[in-house]
């Protein structure tokens, strides 16, 4: 009788391993964390090698230009066909040497899972760094920043008070879950301008901004849900963001079948679409809408979205003294345009009969002042034209 001894498989260390460096964050962060390559380094980009490989194989030749240093930028994923995304990992292997250094920007989930599996099996070396985002937390600067905001926003003292409370909370605590603010009220009262000033004073002027009125129908579902891995998605943009301030303008114009994407974003520190996983810890999301009351908002948005909003801030319609201040400020701010021909007093005297004591907003005021400036400037040439005709 013969006995078979079990064969013990020993795991020998591999002499050559690919080294993958995953860099999560904005384009600037990725570029900052790339090494200073020398001219002698054999550096290639993923997309150019894919194209070269395809052309070589189409000519029925063997591809032999494997890179020892490969850069995979996040927009490279959009340069390959959708079917190729499922084998991104093996595709990178096909394009590189056994000991290659590979720098990958914001990998899709399928690529990240492939690399994690390869690392667990000791087939590759793997490290990951991620950009850190924060709100300015200097208490001494807080009052100065709020005063800067208040000086530029007319007639919204209550809104400024409420946003100050939220910003002080956010600069004082360490919050992981997203904080969602809704600015609501009639159009052109300063909601968007407030977001711009918050960005400038508390987030280094950086903000991920999306105008939801542009997403009109179900054709845009692939953006919100990441269904097409070779196209941009909300997850892609969130990974590429430059700060933790997210601005969704005109939520009331967004079709409600996109709301499920917001459920996930508002409620969790990890946002997932069909292609990407994104750490959204500590993000501040500001929404705007033209709803006039919270009851209207509940009815139109539905309770699941409404109760995921942390703070509601109403913008009041302008009173007569606010309208007057905006008119004077707008005329003065444009002085460089007209001062060689007109005076602020001339413009105010002409425009004031056209301005109502109520019902005006920033857009209507700017429009009327623009028309008056054009009319007054045209009078000079109009008189010359009339004189020429009479002669």
């Amino acid at each position: 009788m013969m006995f078979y001894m079990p064969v013990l498989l020993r795991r020998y260390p591999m002499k050559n391993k690919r080294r993958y460096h995953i860099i999560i964050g904005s384009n600037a962060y990725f570029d900052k964390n790339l090494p200073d390559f020398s001219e002698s380094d054999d550096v290639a980009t993923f997309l150019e090698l894919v194209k070269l490989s395809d052309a070589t194989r189409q000519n029925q030749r063997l591809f032999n230009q494997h890179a020892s240093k490969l850069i995979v930028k996040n927009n490279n994923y959009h340069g390959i066909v959708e079917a190729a995304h499922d084998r991104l990992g093996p595709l990178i292997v096909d394009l590189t040497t056994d000991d290659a250094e590979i720098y990958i920007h914001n990998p899709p989930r399928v690529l990240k899972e492939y690399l994690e599996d390869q690392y667990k099996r000791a087939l590759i070396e793997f490290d990951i760094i991620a950009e850190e985002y924060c709100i300015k937390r200097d208490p001494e600067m807080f009052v100065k920043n709020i005063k800067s905001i208040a000086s530029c926003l007319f007639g919204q003292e209550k809104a400024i008070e409420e946003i100050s409370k939220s910003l002080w909370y956010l600069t004082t605590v360490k919050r992981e879950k997203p904080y969602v603010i809704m600015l609501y009220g009639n159009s052109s009262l300063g909601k968007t301008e407030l977001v711009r000033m918050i960005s400038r004073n508390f987030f280094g002027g950086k903000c991920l901004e999306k105008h939801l009125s542009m997403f009109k129908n179900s054709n845009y579902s692939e953006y919100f849900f990441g269904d097409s891995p070779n196209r941009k998605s909300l997850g892609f943009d969130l990974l590429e963001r430059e700060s933790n301030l997210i601005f969704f303008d005109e939520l009331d114009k967004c079709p409600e079948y996109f709301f499920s994407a917001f459920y996930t974003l508002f409620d969790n520190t990890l946002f997932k679409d069909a292609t990407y996983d994104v750490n959204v810890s500590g993000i501040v999301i500001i929404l705007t809408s033209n709803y006039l009351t919270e009851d209207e908002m509940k009815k139109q948005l539905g309770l699941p979205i409404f109760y995921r909003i942390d703070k509601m801030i109403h913008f009041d319609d302008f009173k007569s003294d606010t309208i007057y201040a905006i008119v004077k400020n707008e005329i003065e701010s444009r002085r460089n345009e007209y001062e060689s021909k007109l005076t602020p007093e001339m413009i105010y005297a002409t425009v004031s009969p056209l301005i109502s004591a109520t019902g005006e907003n920033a857009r209507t005021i700017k429009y009327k002042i623009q028309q008056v400036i054009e009319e007054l400037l045209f009078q000079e040439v109009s008189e010359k034209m009339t004189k020429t005709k009479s002669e």
Side-chain angles (χ1 to χ4, degrees), residues 91 126 214 357:
L91 183 55
F126 175 90
M214 297 175 61

Side-chain angles (χ1 to χ4, degrees), residues 171-196:
T171 58
T172 304
V173 305
K174 186 174 182 181
R175 180 186 171 105
E176 293 295 320
K177 184 182 175 183
Y179 187 84
V180 186
I181 302 170
M182 169 66 83
L183 310 179
Y184 70 102
N186 274 317
S187 63
S188 299
L189 297 177
K191 298 186 290 292
T192 299
E193 182 60 25
L194 175 59
V195 181
R196 301 265 196 275

Side-chain angles (χ1 to χ4, degrees), residues 11 113-124:
R11 193 175 191 177
E113 289 176 350
Y114 169 85
L115 296 177
E116 289 170 347
D117 175 70
Q118 294 287 295
Y119 179 73
K120 288 176 183 176
R121 294 163 60 190
L123 299 175
I124 65 170

Side-chain angles (χ1 to χ4, degrees), residues 220-245:
Y220 292 97
S221 63
E222 60 192 27
Y223 174 80
F224 283 99
F225 303 113
D227 296 331
S228 298
N230 60 340
R231 296 186 183 182
K232 273 197 174 188
S233 67
L234 179 57
F236 177 94
D237 283 340
L238 287 168
L239 279 169
E240 199 180 66
R241 71 190 187 276
E242 295 182 295
S243 84
N244 253 0
L245 179 62

Side-chain angles (χ1 to χ4, degrees), residues 113-237:
E113 289 176 350
Y114 169 85
L115 296 177
E116 289 170 347
D117 175 70
Q118 294 287 295
Y119 179 73
K120 288 176 183 176
R121 294 163 60 190
L123 299 175
I124 65 170
E125 293 182 7
F126 175 90
D127 59 68
I128 182 169
I129 60 172
E131 189 167 4
E132 295 183 1
Y133 307 96
C134 63
I135 186 171
K136 287 184 180 178
R137 295 181 178 273
D138 185 347
E140 295 182 3
M141 290 296 295
F142 181 84
V143 173
K144 181 180 178 181
N145 290 334
I146 292 298
K147 285 183 176 179
S148 174
I149 291 173
S151 68
C152 299
L153 202 65
F154 293 91
Q156 302 299 341
E157 290 77 13
K158 184 63 177 176
I160 292 172
E161 180 183 351
E162 292 304 314
I163 201 67
S164 300
K165 294 175 185 176
S166 295
L167 290 170
W168 181 248
Y169 165 77
L170 291 167
T171 58
T172 304
V173 305
K174 186 174 182 181
R175 180 186 171 105
E176 293 295 320
K177 184 182 175 183
Y179 187 84
V180 186
I181 302 170
M182 169 66 83
L183 310 179
Y184 70 102
N186 274 317
S187 63
S188 299
L189 297 177
K191 298 186 290 292
T192 299
E193 182 60 25
L194 175 59
V195 181
R196 301 265 196 275
M197 289 185 286
I198 290 172
S199 171
R200 186 159 53 247
N201 287 280
F202 290 92
F203 293 90
K206 306 293 186 181
C207 174
L208 173 58
E209 181 174 331
K210 292 294 171 184
H211 298 272
L212 299 180
S213 58
M214 297 175 61
F215 299 91
K216 289 292 187 182
N217 53 53
S218 59
N219 293 333
Y220 292 97
S221 63
E222 60 192 27
Y223 174 80
F224 283 99
F225 303 113
D227 296 331
S228 298
N230 60 340
R231 296 186 183 182
K232 273 197 174 188
S233 67
L234 179 57
F236 177 94
D237 283 340

Side-chain angles (χ1 to χ4, degrees), residues 24 130-131 133 176 238-239 241 244 268-271 277-283:
I24 307 294
E131 189 167 4
Y133 307 96
E176 293 295 320
L238 287 168
L239 279 169
R241 71 190 187 276
N244 253 0
N268 301 282
T269 57
L270 185 67
F271 174 78
D277 296 336
V278 190
N279 182 350
V280 290
S281 298
I283 66 170

